[in-house]
Every structure is written in C-alpha cells, then in structure tokens.
Amino acid sequence: MSRIVAIVGRPNVGKSTLFNRLTTSREAIVDEVSGVTRDRNYGVSFWNGIDFSVIDTGGYVQNSDDIFEEEINKQVLLAIEESDVILFMVDVTCGIHDLDTSVASLLRRVDKKVLLVVNKVDNGERLMDANEFYNLGLGDYFPLSSMNGSGTGELLDEVVKSLPREEPVQIPDLPRIAIVGRPNVGKSSLVNSLLGEERNIVTPVAGTTRDSIYTRYNKFQHDFLLVDTAGLRKKGKVSEDIEFYSVMRAVKTIENSDICLLLIDATRGIESQDLNIMSLIQKNNKGMIVLVNKWDLIEKENNTTNLFENDIKEKTAPFTDYPILFISAINKQRIHKVLELVDQVNKNRNRKISTSELNEVMLQVVKNNPPPALKGKYVKIKYVTQLPIYTPAFAFFCNLPQYVKDPYKRYLENRMREKFEFTGVPIRIFFRKK
C-alpha cells in the first residue's frame, strides 16, 4: 500500500528544504521530477522502520495575486485528495500571511491528518513568535528548522504515527503489471483491449478507495494481475491540474507493480513527462516495456520504426536494454506480442545465475579490463554473487570498494547484459569489502 505525505504551503517557506531533508534519510529514491510539475518533487522517506512517499507541491510565482492564490489552493486540494498526511508549512519570520489563512481555512474542513509545521524556528525568540500560529485554528504546531534539521525528528514521529497501518491482504502470488503513461495516451484502451469485458477484479486492497485494485488476466496461457489505481479513469474533482494528478497516480501504480508497461503517444513522440515516469520506474527497480501507442496514425516509410526507436533510446541512455513495441490499443494491433513480452521480462526479472557461472564469466570480464587504479591503489575483485532479493542485484567483493566509480559499474552492467538475458530489467551492482 502506497502511503503519501504531501508538503503544502505558499512559496519560499522552506518546503523544498524540508523535502530534501526527509528524502535523503534514505539515499535511494529521490527524484527531481522537473518538467512534470513545475518544480514539484517526489521522493521516498524512511523513519522508524516505515517508508512513505513524499510530494513537495512546489510554489507558483505569478503576477496576479488572485491567480497565485487560486493555484496554491488547487494544489492543496490535489494534495488533500491524494495524500494520507498533509504537512502545512508556514514561516515564523513572516508571521501569518493572507495565503496562509486561506490555505488553513481549506485544511480545517478536511477529514485528513494535518500537521502544522512552523519553519525557521532556530532560536528561543522565534520559538515564542511561533505561538502566533495557534490563530490558524489547526491546533498544536511543530516548530523546526528545515535548514539545520532541528525539530524534524519529532515531526517524523508524528507523521509515521498518523499514517494508515498496512493490513495484510491476500493477493495471488502472480506478476503485477502496471500500465503507466501521460494522460490521454491510451491506457484505458489498452486495458480494455487486453481484458475485453471480462473483468475479474481480484481484490480492492483494504483501506481506502485510493489504493490499487488488481484485475486478473488469465487466458491464452498467460496469468498475471493488472494493477490499476482506483479512480484512475474517473475524473477527479480537481483534475484540471492533470499533470500533477497523473504523476501522483503513477507513483502509486509503479510502487505496487513488478513490471510497468510505459505507453508513449506515437503522434507526439517521447516527451519530458515520459522520461520522468521512466525514471520513476528505474528508481523503483521495476521491469519495463515501452509501448508506442497509436502507431496506426503514423505515416510510415522504410525506416520510420528504427528512427523512432533510436530517438527513444538516445533520450533514455545509459539504460537502453528494454523492449520497445509499436501498437494500436484501439485496433488491438500486436496486443498478443505485449503478452509475450510481459512473460519474457518477468522471466528476466526472476533470473538467478549460479555463483560458479557468474564468477567464471565476470571474473574474466574483470581480468580483460580491470578497474582503473586510483591514487596508485589497485582494486582487486575476487568474487561475485547474486543477492537473494526480488530484482537482479549483484555483489562484487574486493579490497577497495570505495575506489570503484560509476563508469566502471556501468561497464560491468553492460557486459553482464551481453552475457546474460536481463532485457527490460534494471540491474543493481554493489561493491563490498572482501
């Protein structure tokens, strides 16, 4: 179950600094989703054994105060609809601003946990000044300094206490396939083409209507769950800001899946939002198949397919080892091929390579091109093993793991992809001390 904490408030109160502080507590998934959401960020935070997504609803800077207020309120409404806990941030050095008052009046009417965060409280005098914020009518507040981190521990304790508890849900142990992509790219059409009208919904995950539902696909020797986020095809109350909405939806759907079918609109080509969604898929270590939809609407010459494919791979380098398929969801063109690719990528995702074979192949690769020496020190790689986790990850044991840099890791990953079949799946490589 995906749990979301949204940070809201007017611009320049320190939302992004708090976002960075919360998400770097776990150095895995922090992504600057630029282009998608006008400086909104998405990341993952981890506290007291619980992880949750954090969304920073960036501030708008526009000329007219009226538009400005309207935009901030719209983002607050979206955050209210999609998140489990809302952090409402204000700035002690400015006191209560008109925009703070209007956001507070929206938040007082919602049935969600709202934590009032008073930022820039870094001395005793400001701690006294913070009392003014009781006037917002949101009860107790959390004084902190997002710049130096004081007070964030108490806030996080309260955040994790307020998040919904995960309830164990019996879902069949089948691959979970998510269909993701920008709005209006044909996701619903693809779901309908795959399922026809026989929808066998396995289970709405316990909790709220905002969590994922799984529809079982079981025919033609294929058996998997299609992950859908409840309400994905319903128009939300506040879906004018479609881009923000779709990114919050994509976050949840990706987190709850094993393999993502990323739909791209052939009539528009690959755009920045496609690349952002792809980057979320990679950072969450999910399998990926790129489907170029509406291919029936494109005028074709001899090399149209190759040119399109090359353009996509150029923009996603260095990760280019994933299948690309050109389809028409409406006309069901190449839909059976989608099913074959799902099976193939799922096999690759679960591929286990014996330690003896790994060492035989990869130690030879290392011998042919050892890691470059750093400060006169040579890295000696002695042994390789696959880690026992749900996506392909490998540990290389050596004398000086800290001296192995990203370019060499990429070299090893590329050789590994040549020697073993991992198309469509992110590979992680770790260096450990022998």
Side-chain angles (χ1 to χ4, degrees):
M1 180 163 119
S2 174
R3 293 169 292 199
I4 289 186
V5 173
I7 307 173
V8 303
R10 59 192 176 79
N12 306 323
V13 291
K15 296 192 299 297
S16 295
T17 313
L18 178 64
F19 168 84
N20 290 336
R21 189 162 284 285
L22 297 187
T23 52
T24 47
S25 60
R26 166 175 164 181
E27 53 191 14
I29 309 163
V30 176
D31 201 36
E32 193 79 18
V33 185
S34 60
V36 180
T37 49
R38 278 191 260 188
D39 74 353
R40 281 195 202 85
N41 298 328
Y42 151 76
V44 170
S45 185
F46 185 76
W47 188 257
N48 288 352
I50 289 176
D51 51 11
F52 52 92
S53 301
V54 184
I55 303 241
D56 166 18
T57 59
Y60 279 77
V61 181
Q62 292 182 352
N63 307 331
S64 148
D65 269 0
D66 295 346
I67 294 178
F68 192 26
E69 186 166 353
E70 191 186 319
E71 284 296 350
I72 288 176
N73 288 351
K74 190 195 288 184
Q75 290 192 50
V76 173
L77 288 170
L78 285 162
I80 289 167
E81 187 160 325
E82 286 298 304
S83 58
D84 300 297
V85 174
I86 299 158
L87 306 184
F88 172 32
M89 200 163 198
V90 292
D91 177 350
V92 72
T93 63
C94 303
I96 293 178
H97 185 286
D98 289 348
L99 283 175
D100 298 334
T101 311
S102 86
V103 170
S105 73
L106 279 174
L107 292 174
R108 281 198 303 272
R109 298 196 293 270
V110 304
D111 188 21
K112 286 275 169 88
K113 183 70 171 181
V114 177
L115 303 178
L116 176 60
V117 178
V118 182
N119 192 23
K120 306 184 189 175
V121 180
D122 47 18
N123 60 41
E125 190 184 331
R126 288 183 174 180
L127 191 56
M128 294 299 292
D129 293 344
N131 285 323
E132 174 190 358
F133 291 95
Y134 278 119
N135 294 323
L136 290 175
L138 290 167
D140 285 337
Y141 56 82
F142 289 81
L144 57 79
S145 165
S146 58
M147 192 59 85
N148 69 28
S150 64
T152 44
E154 291 83 349
L155 175 65
L156 281 166
D157 287 344
E158 188 60 34
V159 165
V160 297
K161 216 162 72 184
S162 309
L163 286 167
R165 290 284 157 258
E166 294 205 335
E167 298 174 34
V169 177
Q170 288 308 305
I171 295 171
D173 188 16
L174 292 168
R176 300 175 188 191
I177 314 301
I179 298 174
V180 295
R182 283 192 323 246
N184 307 321
V185 73
K187 296 189 287 292
S188 308
S189 308
L190 180 58
V191 170
N192 293 336
S193 289
L194 283 171
L195 295 174
E197 288 314 304
E198 316 157 38
R199 299 205 170 190
N200 171 14
I201 293 182
V202 176
T203 167
V205 171
T208 69
T209 54
R210 296 188 328 281
D211 284 307
S212 289
I213 54 175
Y214 298 89
T215 310
R216 187 164 182 171
Y217 182 96
N218 185 5
K219 45 188 175 183
F220 312 121
Q221 276 84 57
H222 301 281
D223 196 5
F224 55 81
L225 298 173
L226 271 176
V227 183
D228 187 9
T229 306
L232 188 63
R233 288 185 293 278
K234 290 184 201 134
K235 219 170 166 58
K237 289 194 288 289
V238 278
S239 58
E240 307 93 281
D241 193 343
I242 286 180
E243 292 196 31
F244 179 33
Y245 209 69
S246 66
V247 109
M248 288 185 93
R249 291 281 190 222
V251 165
K252 291 185 160 190
T253 314
I254 290 165
E255 284 177 350
N256 289 330
S257 69
D258 298 313
I259 296 170
C260 295
L261 308 181
L262 172 59
L263 254 68
I264 290 174
D265 185 333
T267 63
R268 294 173 63 167
I270 186 162
E271 296 183 335
S272 63
Q273 196 174 347
D274 301 318
L275 296 172
N276 290 323
I277 294 174
M278 190 179 280
S279 139
L280 287 176
I281 295 169
Q282 282 173 257
K283 286 188 162 66
N284 280 280
N285 298 305
K286 306 300 183 182
M288 182 173 77
I289 298 165
V290 172
L291 302 177
V292 182
N293 191 26
K294 309 185 188 177
W295 195 238
D296 51 319
L297 304 179
I298 298 294
E299 283 189 33
K300 297 168 197 66
E301 293 168 17
N302 291 343
N303 59 349
T304 310
T305 308
N306 288 344
L307 288 172
F308 210 102
E309 199 163 308
N310 293 342
D311 181 47
I312 293 174
K313 297 218 163 169
E314 262 172 42
K315 287 177 178 160
T316 66
F319 180 45
T320 56
D321 186 18
Y322 50 83
I324 298 178
L325 186 64
F326 296 83
I327 66 165
S328 163
I330 295 259
N331 300 339
K332 300 196 174 182
Q333 182 184 4
R334 299 197 189 88
I335 293 295
H336 65 285
K337 186 80 177 129
V338 175
L339 299 170
E340 287 166 24
L341 284 175
V342 164
D343 284 354
Q344 188 54 53
V345 169
N346 190 50
K347 265 199 204 93
N348 297 347
R349 196 178 64 87
N350 290 304
R351 192 172 301 290
K352 299 285 179 273
I353 299 163
S354 72
T355 303
S356 57
E357 189 183 358
L358 255 182
N359 283 279
E360 191 183 322
V361 171
M362 293 313 292
L363 292 182
Q364 187 59 47
V365 163
V366 169
K367 192 176 166 188
N368 295 347
N369 183 8
L374 199 68
K375 301 176 185 166
K377 306 241 170 114
Y378 289 88
V379 178
K380 295 189 175 65
I381 296 173
K382 299 283 201 283
Y383 176 75
V384 194
T385 186
Q386 184 167 0
L387 299 173
I389 56 177
Y390 66 97
T391 55
F394 300 88
F396 285 71
F397 290 88
C398 65
N399 56 339
L400 299 164
Q402 69 276 25
Y403 284 179
V404 182
K405 301 300 175 205
D406 284 346
Y408 193 74
K409 287 183 187 174
R410 271 201 296 277
Y411 162 76
L412 289 179
E413 179 184 332
N414 290 338
R415 297 299 79 76
M416 203 169 255
R417 288 182 182 282
E418 284 168 14
K419 311 282 183 186
F420 307 105
E421 180 57 58
F422 284 116
T423 297
V425 184
I427 293 177
R428 285 184 293 166
I429 289 178
F430 300 95
F431 280 81
R432 301 241 170 107
K433 183 101 177 141
K434 177 73 178 134

